Amino acid sequence: MIVRREFDWSETPPSIAIVTVIADLENVDPIDLPTTAEMTLYSYIDPGALDALVAGDHVVVSFSMAEYRIRIDGTELTVATD
């Protein structure tokens, strides 16, 4: 499954957007993601550094988080399951 969403990073930090999209895929509240799905974003990447990096000009970032592949390309966030 692949989910693509557009975000205005000045309104929604990438770290929040990623957690929200994965929580939607896991069908849990974002607050419950660490206990229900046993995963936290900061276990895979520094959320503050990610937010600062993406706040710059057009940036492409990709990394894996558990069984999810995360890609940020400009304003688009793509979350794909392995």
Side-chain angles (χ1 to χ4, degrees):
M1 173 181 285
I2 298 174
V3 175
R4 288 186 178 91
R5 295 196 185 152
E6 294 284 327
F7 288 93
D8 178 345
W9 302 125
S10 67
E11 293 181 15
T12 306
S15 58
I16 300 298
I18 292 167
V19 170
T20 301
V21 170
I22 291 176
D24 286 349
L25 290 170
E26 293 285 335
N27 200 31
V28 299
D29 187 284
I31 298 292
D32 296 329
L33 191 60
T35 54
T36 305
E38 297 182 0
M39 70 175 82
T40 58
L41 181 62
Y42 64 81
S43 295
Y44 297 89
I45 195 166
D46 180 331
L50 176 66
D51 293 346
L53 177 66
V54 174
D57 290 333
H58 185 94
V59 174
V60 177
V61 176
S62 62
F63 62 96
S64 294
M65 181 175 165
E67 71 268 12
Y68 296 100
R69 291 183 320 276
I70 314 296
R71 180 178 170 88
I72 295 173
D73 188 348
T75 60
E76 183 178 80
L77 168 63
T78 303
V79 178
T81 56
D82 286 335

